[in-house]
Amino acid sequence: MEDVYLSLGSNIGNRERYLHQAISMLGNDSGILVDKVAHFYETSPVGGVEQRAFLNTAVKIATRYQPEELLQKIHDIESELQRTRAIHWGPRTLDIDIIFFGNQKIQNQRLTIPHPEAFNRLFVLMPIQEIMDESLPQFSKINQTISQFPDKDQEIHKINSADSFDDSIKTSIRKLLTTIGEDPDRSGLKETPDRVARMYGEIFSSVGIEDFQDYKLFDEPIKDSKMIMIKSIPFYSMCEHHMMPFWGTVNVGYLPKDGKIIGLSKIPRLVDFVSHKLSLQEKITDDVLSQMDKILSPQGVAVVVDARHMCVEMRGVKKTGSVTRTTKFSGVFEQDPSLRQEFLQSI
């Protein structure tokens, strides 16, 4: 088993949850033993890219994998947690780097160890300093490098447990309950902050993630493409204006191009993806269509969404049972009235 130090970072969506999930996935691998985990540090972004602050940490593991094998395991974890990064130093749900792999030195097209940023970034050095054995030769160099860093190189501070996602939600819900005149300590409400924190982690799981990645495409020898359609896909989302639920069904149709199709189960997953964030019905309609276009480049896409809104039914005009419909068409569905009508009649 070889001792390895990893650097982890996230600045999209629920940053802490992504880091915890990645650490858990590392520990669940039979070839990896998670030994130590550093505190979480909030750090200002580097590279001149305007974006949200990062949350960084470091993990010491022992592994039986060779460096290239471990790198592949890391890439698998990043992919499963929907890593997206369009540019270097850009936003990402998760980034895991191998900083030190025992005393090995490696340099090839896929991997450089020690990592090129090992002694160049505070967000790498400070978490690793916290968990590194003082007897290792790298430790003294890390201490020396940190002491010599320019004051303005990067803002970095250790976050308190109260700053975590779950604890922040719990604190906010307790304050909200008190503000509306409730007693958060009465028996029926004692566990409410915890329940709300867990619920928000689920229903806002797509916050900050731009592109749907959980899909598989197939190339079929189709000479005469026919419309493919899935009707009445249920969805639930939260309105960004009042943070109240809206829900309903999504109908999606598309005309394949060059025989390229998507697995049918992935379209409902796409609907879940676009709806698990603060949104609007109009935006969900647009997002389903734009993601289908981006994934498939089909001849055309049709989307119809029917939904009820609690901000209409429970407050304001209080019109119970009213349904809002939004539609969006692209390609041949926008250009061909007969094809568009065929789709609309079928739903």
Side-chain angles (χ1 to χ4, degrees), residues 167-186:
D167 287 345
S168 292
I169 294 295
K170 292 175 190 177
T171 300
S172 299
I173 294 301
R174 282 186 61 87
K175 185 175 181 180
L176 176 62
L177 289 170
T178 301
T179 301
I180 65 174
E182 270 289 1
D183 176 10
D185 292 316
R186 71 174 174 86

Side-chain angles (χ1 to χ4, degrees), residues 14 17 93 104 129 192 208 224 235 270 278 283 307 325 334 344:
N14 188 339
R17 191 171 293 261
T93 56
Q104 293 193 40
Q129 179 195 46
T192 295
D224 185 16
F235 81 93
L270 168 59
L278 287 173
K283 191 170 189 308
R325 168 167 284 193
E334 189 174 28
L344 292 171

Side-chain angles (χ1 to χ4, degrees), residues 168-292:
S168 292
I169 294 295
K170 292 175 190 177
T171 300
S172 299
I173 294 301
R174 282 186 61 87
K175 185 175 181 180
L176 176 62
L177 289 170
T178 301
T179 301
I180 65 174
E182 270 289 1
D183 176 10
D185 292 316
R186 71 174 174 86
S187 59
L189 293 176
K190 277 187 176 180
E191 297 181 12
T192 295
D194 179 65
R195 286 191 289 260
V196 172
R198 286 185 280 115
M199 177 187 71
Y200 277 3
E202 179 181 348
I203 66 178
F204 295 133
S205 60
S206 296
V207 169
I209 307 175
E210 295 298 325
D211 293 323
F212 178 65
Q213 296 183 351
D214 184 16
Y215 64 86
K216 186 175 182 179
L217 300 182
F218 303 90
D219 291 313
E220 299 294 337
I222 302 173
K223 294 182 180 179
D224 185 16
S225 295
K226 304 294 185 182
M227 177 171 57
I228 298 172
M229 181 178 175
I230 298 186
K231 299 191 294 183
S232 303
I233 304 168
F235 81 93
Y236 303 86
S237 191
M238 295 285 278
C239 172
E240 65 183 40
H241 291 163
H242 297 96
M243 288 191 71
M244 296 186 74
F246 65 100
W247 74 99
T249 58
V250 179
N251 304 278
V252 182
Y254 72 98
L255 201 66
K257 183 178 180 181
D258 299 327
K260 184 180 290 185
I261 60 175
I262 187 172
L264 290 179
S265 66
K266 303 307 181 183
I267 297 178
R269 288 178 186 265
L270 168 59
V271 172
D272 285 344
F273 170 78
V274 302
S275 59
H276 283 187
K277 60 184 73 176
L278 287 173
S279 191
L280 301 171
Q281 181 174 337
E282 298 88 341
K283 191 170 189 308
I284 285 178
T285 310
D286 288 350
D287 286 350
V288 171
L289 185 138
S290 64
Q291 290 291 328
M292 289 289 290

Side-chain angles (χ1 to χ4, degrees), residues 58-73:
V59 177
K60 179 190 175 186
I61 66 171
T63 182
R64 61 176 175 78
Y65 294 124
Q66 294 300 309
E68 293 279 353
E69 293 177 309
L70 178 62
L71 181 64
Q72 186 57 54
K73 296 289 182 180

Side-chain angles (χ1 to χ4, degrees), residues 10-136:
S10 172
N11 79 327
I12 289 179
N14 188 339
R15 303 170 299 172
E16 184 187 58
R17 191 171 293 261
Y18 282 126
L19 293 177
H20 279 306
Q21 285 180 318
I23 294 166
S24 177
M25 292 167 74
L26 286 166
N28 289 336
D29 190 300
S30 60
I32 297 173
L33 174 66
V34 174
D35 184 11
K36 294 180 181 179
V37 179
H39 284 88
F40 287 2
Y41 292 78
E42 188 161 69
T43 64
S44 58
V46 297
V49 180
E50 186 174 341
Q51 56 187 309
R52 183 185 182 191
F54 276 82
L55 210 58
N56 293 98
T57 188
V59 177
K60 179 190 175 186
I61 66 171
T63 182
R64 61 176 175 78
Y65 294 124
Q66 294 300 309
E68 293 279 353
E69 293 177 309
L70 178 62
L71 181 64
Q72 186 57 54
K73 296 289 182 180
I74 287 171
H75 286 170
D76 291 343
I77 292 173
E78 291 175 332
S79 177
E80 189 166 339
L81 294 180
Q82 304 181 68
R83 169 192 165 109
T84 56
R85 185 177 68 175
I87 58 174
H88 188 60
W89 297 122
R92 71 213 75 169
T93 56
L94 181 69
D95 197 25
I96 307 177
D97 290 316
I98 303 173
I99 306 301
F100 302 112
F101 198 106
N103 293 319
Q104 293 193 40
K105 294 184 179 181
I106 302 170
Q107 186 163 11
N108 56 47
Q109 289 185 339
R110 294 193 69 211
L111 189 60
T112 300
I113 295 176
H115 193 278
E117 300 296 338
F119 297 101
N120 292 328
R121 299 295 177 184
L122 281 175
F123 67 81
V124 173
L125 291 168
M126 290 183 66
I128 287 183
Q129 179 195 46
E130 183 183 322
I131 61 173
M132 178 169 273
D133 295 337
E134 295 185 12
S135 60
L136 294 178

